[in-house]
Amino acid sequence: MYELFKNLGAWLVDGDQWAGPDGIGHRLGEHLQYSLLATLVAAVIALPLGLLIGHTGRGAFLAINLSSFGRALPTVGLVVLVFLASGLSMWPVYIALVALAVPSIVTNTYAGMSAVDPEVKDAARGQGMRGHQVLFQVELPLAMPLIMTGLRLALIQVVATATIAAYVSFGGLGRYVFDGLAQRDLVQVLGGAVLVAVVAVVLDLALSALQRALFRHRPAKSA
């Protein structure tokens, strides 16, 4: 075990390992590109849906159950299914990652909107605010801590799962895992896994710090 971790350390600090199109720097950039783009697309889909059902109270049962169904989808199975239908492209990977990210964003957005005190909304309407004004000036600001939590959870899940891009011959940090398995190179496999874990932890800590900074004056239960 000591020898394994010693070789892993040497692998990680090797300058040649960081250079070129197969280097860690390039693979890291690919991994972040897949993760950030998939999370952005998921947010464009899920945020309006969560805001709508949270504001109107209609469609919550369907949306939450669809989100639960999305969580239950086997990611690799979905990649293979879309791959068979669309051929060799990044579409299967992005579709699977978006499907993984949507549930967390929908459910947290809905939960944040539902947690807004009805009396606060009634008071806003009593001051003459219209529906969209109540949504964007009252409900959305109060729900933002939970919405941010949903986005953070979705991004971390996507980062951890974006290794599947290598499953259909594309890049990212998963390349080290799949290539290492094919070559029976345990150091490379472990190196890829460690890099993915480090990226996920660093992003989680950074987003948690940003969330605390943005909402440090909110009550603890809203964070």
Side-chain angles (χ1 to χ4, degrees), residues 47-176:
L47 281 175
L49 179 60
L51 291 173
L52 178 64
I53 62 176
H55 178 66
T56 64
R58 293 194 292 268
F61 179 80
L62 176 62
I64 299 304
N65 278 277
L66 284 176
S67 297
S68 299
F69 175 73
R71 282 198 182 98
L73 281 175
T75 306
V76 174
L78 183 59
V79 168
V80 172
L81 181 63
V82 180
F83 174 77
L84 293 174
S86 65
L88 183 60
S89 71
M90 275 297 296
W91 280 108
V93 175
Y94 281 125
I95 290 173
L97 294 179
V98 168
L100 177 69
V102 163
S104 294
I105 301 174
V106 170
T107 52
N108 276 68
T109 302
Y110 170 67
M113 296 289 288
S114 300
V116 177
D117 192 336
E119 293 184 1
V120 174
K121 293 185 281 187
D122 289 340
R125 294 189 185 97
Q127 293 178 355
M129 285 189 177
R130 301 191 177 189
H132 68 280
Q133 292 176 312
V134 174
L135 171 60
F136 290 108
Q137 297 180 30
V138 178
E139 292 176 291
L140 182 56
L142 292 174
M144 275 305 297
L146 276 177
I147 293 174
M148 284 284 294
T149 298
L151 290 169
R152 177 167 60 90
L153 292 174
L155 178 58
I156 301 311
Q157 287 177 319
V158 168
V159 167
T161 312
T163 52
I164 59 171
Y167 188 76
V168 285
S169 302
F170 287 94
L173 296 174
R175 189 80 271 153
Y176 299 120

Side-chain angles (χ1 to χ4, degrees), residues 26-52:
H26 184 72
R27 294 303 186 197
L28 175 60
E30 291 176 329
H31 201 94
L32 290 174
Q33 176 188 326
Y34 303 155
S35 302
L36 293 175
L37 182 56
T39 306
L40 177 61
V41 172
V44 170
I45 296 170
L47 281 175
L49 179 60
L51 291 173
L52 178 64

